[in-house]
Amino acid sequence: MDDILTESLQIHRKAEMLLRDFRIVELWESMGAEVRFVGSFRSNLMMDKDIDLHVYTGELDAAGTLAALAPLFGDPRVQRSTFIDGAATDEHCLEWHLALKDDDGETWTLDMIQILAGSALDGFFEETAEAVRRAVTPEMRLAILKLKKAASAGNTICGIEFYKAVIEDHVQTWEEFLNWRKSNPVGSLFYWRPKENCHGGWSGADEEREPEYPVSRIPCEIFSLREHPEMLECFIGYFSSRWGREVLYRDCMTASVETDSPLPQWFLAVSPEGEIAGGAGLIPNDFISRMDLVPWLCALHVEESCRHRGLAGEIIQYASACAEFLGYRNLYCCTDHTGFYERYGFEFIGTGYHPWDETSRIYRRSL
C-alpha cells in the first residue's frame, strides 16, 4: 500500500476511535437526533484530523442540545468549543465546533452542524459526499490525498476544490492545482457534484456502491495486524484456536507483518475489557478455484456472546474499507451459508471448487 494511503487509513481509524471514545453518536441519539457523516470522513478521503457530521432534529433548541451533550462539553479533553446560532438564517442550523485531544495528545477538530429536519439542506451534503465516494477511482484517490498532503496548514482549501479539480478536471500536481484555483473560485462549487460516468481520462471506472456508516454501535475496537505487529502472538493464538492449523496461521501471519505485499491483512475486534470478540482476514485466495478473483474475506468469526449485535457487519465493513483503500473494487468470500452474507451487501455469483473435492458458494460485495 502507498504510504499516503496507509496514512489516510490510519487517520480514518483514529477518527472512528475518537467518535466512539467521546460517545458522539450516542449522545446525539439520546435526544432523538439523526446523525449523518459528511465530508472526507464519509468519502474515505481523510488527510487532516477534522471530522464533519450533520445532525437532524425536529427543532433547533440550543438549551436542549447543551443538556444532551453535557457529558461531552464537560470532558476535560475538550480544549475549545464554539457555538454559532444560525436558527434564524436561511440555513436553519446551529453550529457546534469543538477541538478535542485524543489519547496521543493530538488535537482534532469536530464540526457538528445541527440542521432542522426537512429544511432545504436536509441531505444535500450527504448526497455530495456519496457522489464523490462513488466517483473516485484508486488513481483519483491517490491524487486527491497527495494534493491534501501538499497543502500547508495555513491554506484554507475546501475539500470540494480538491474533488472537482481531480475528478472532473484531471488535476494531479500541486502546481496544476494552484493554477486551477485561479479560474475556479470556491463560491462557484457549492452545487457541484461528480457527473455519472465521469472517469474520462482516468482508469478504473467505479460501480454503484451502497453508503457506508463506519462508526460501530458496539464498544469494540478493530485492530489490524499490519498496524499492530506487537499483537502477532495474540492474532496467531486466536485464529488457530478457532480454525485450527496453528502452523498455517503462524507462517502466514508472521510473513504478513514483514512483506511489502498489500495482502494478506488480519483483523481482530477487541472489547474495552481487552477480550477478543471476533476477527477476520483479507487474503489473495481462500483455497478456491477462482484464482482470478481478489481479495477474499476469510476466517470470519464472532464470539457467541457477541453475536446478534452487528459486530460481524462491522468487521466486514472494516475489511471492505481496507480492500477499497488497497484499490480493489470487489470483495469475495466462499461459504456454505445462505442468507447471511446477503445481509451485508454480498451477492451470490456461482460455485467454486476446493482442492479437497468439495464446493462452496462464492459471493461478491461491490466496494
Side-chain angles (χ1 to χ4, degrees):
M1 184 189 294
D2 192 288
D3 288 345
I4 200 167
L5 295 177
T6 300
E7 182 179 355
S8 178
L9 180 59
Q10 290 173 342
I11 292 172
H12 199 284
R13 296 303 168 231
K14 287 184 178 180
E16 294 178 10
M17 293 166 56
L18 190 83
L19 291 164
R20 286 195 291 265
D21 193 25
F22 282 90
R23 300 169 51 223
I24 302 299
V25 175
E26 179 183 343
L27 290 174
W28 278 108
E29 290 184 343
S30 71
M31 59 177 284
E34 180 184 357
V35 179
R36 304 178 199 161
F37 292 96
V38 295
S40 61
F41 183 83
R42 184 167 187 143
S43 299
N44 279 336
L45 291 166
M46 295 190 76
M47 280 305 297
D48 297 313
K49 296 177 178 65
D50 186 2
I51 306 171
D52 300 301
L53 59 88
H54 286 179
V55 184
Y56 294 89
T57 54
E59 58 181 357
L60 299 178
D61 177 12
T65 299
L66 278 172
L69 301 184
L72 174 61
F73 289 108
D75 194 309
R77 295 171 295 175
V78 176
Q79 299 177 301
R80 183 178 66 256
S81 62
T82 303
F83 170 68
I84 299 175
D85 187 351
T89 67
D90 292 340
E91 287 77 20
H92 301 293
C93 67
L94 304 177
E95 300 184 25
W96 311 86
H97 304 279
L98 279 66
L100 311 174
K101 181 171 288 189
D102 65 17
D103 292 339
D104 296 323
E106 296 180 310
T107 299
W108 291 71
T109 299
L110 176 63
D111 297 314
M112 304 181 292
I113 312 301
Q114 183 179 353
I115 300 174
L116 186 65
S119 62
L121 292 181
D122 188 335
F124 178 83
F125 294 99
E126 294 90 316
E127 292 173 5
T128 298
E130 279 300 310
V132 168
R133 192 179 70 85
R134 289 194 299 268
V136 168
T137 66
E139 294 86 356
M140 292 178 186
R141 180 186 304 281
L142 189 59
I144 289 170
L145 295 179
K146 285 182 177 179
L147 290 177
K148 288 187 173 185
K149 184 74 172 179
S152 66
N155 286 332
T156 303
I157 302 175
C158 295
I160 201 73
E161 296 181 76
F162 294 117
Y163 307 150
K164 183 180 188 299
V166 172
I167 296 172
E168 191 167 286
D169 299 325
H170 315 306
V171 169
Q172 296 192 54
T173 69
W174 181 248
E175 291 71 23
E176 290 174 351
F177 179 67
L178 292 179
N179 289 328
W180 177 90
R181 291 191 82 201
K182 295 176 182 178
S183 57
N184 290 272
V186 66
S188 68
L189 306 179
F190 184 82
Y191 292 101
W192 176 83
R193 283 180 188 162
K195 300 174 183 177
E196 294 296 327
N197 302 317
C198 59
H199 303 92
W202 293 95
S203 61
D206 200 7
E207 299 176 3
E208 189 72 15
R209 291 177 286 180
E210 64 186 56
E212 63 183 53
Y213 303 93
V215 177
S216 175
R217 300 299 181 87
I218 63 174
C220 278
E221 181 177 349
I222 299 180
F223 290 86
S224 164
L225 179 57
R226 290 289 183 99
E227 297 175 14
H228 295 275
E230 73 280 0
M231 295 176 64
L232 176 61
E233 291 299 325
C234 181
F235 273 77
I236 294 172
Y238 181 77
F239 282 94
S240 61
S241 70
R242 297 302 181 269
W243 298 100
R245 301 187 292 275
E246 191 268 350
V247 66
L248 185 152
Y249 283 106
R250 178 170 296 279
D251 187 44
C252 176
M253 292 181 177
T254 300
S256 76
V257 299
E258 300 171 350
T259 183
D260 292 330
S261 175
L263 298 174
Q265 302 270 347
W266 297 95
F267 316 108
L268 282 180
V270 181
S271 73
E273 295 75 30
E275 299 293 330
I276 298 177
L282 193 64
I283 60 177
N285 184 269
D286 199 7
F287 303 101
I288 195 78
S289 55
R290 293 298 303 274
M291 300 287 182
D292 57 311
L293 307 179
V294 182
W296 295 76
L297 179 75
C298 74
L300 175 65
H301 182 81
V302 174
E303 295 301 304
E304 188 171 353
S305 61
C306 301
R307 293 174 186 174
H308 310 296
R309 298 171 58 197
L311 183 57
E314 196 64 27
I315 295 172
I316 290 171
Q317 182 57 48
Y318 193 102
S320 297
C322 180
E324 184 178 4
F325 266 85
L326 291 171
Y328 297 107
R329 288 304 181 191
N330 297 290
L331 177 63
Y332 302 91
C333 72
C334 57
T335 180
D336 295 328
H337 292 293
T338 57
F340 176 77
Y341 287 97
E342 289 90 337
R343 289 181 287 174
Y344 303 105
F346 284 88
E347 60 175 339
F348 173 69
I349 62 169
T351 300
Y353 302 89
H354 297 288
W356 49 87
D357 296 326
E358 293 183 3
T359 62
S360 286
R361 297 168 61 82
I362 296 178
Y363 285 83
R364 177 182 61 205
R365 184 180 197 241
S366 298
L367 303 178

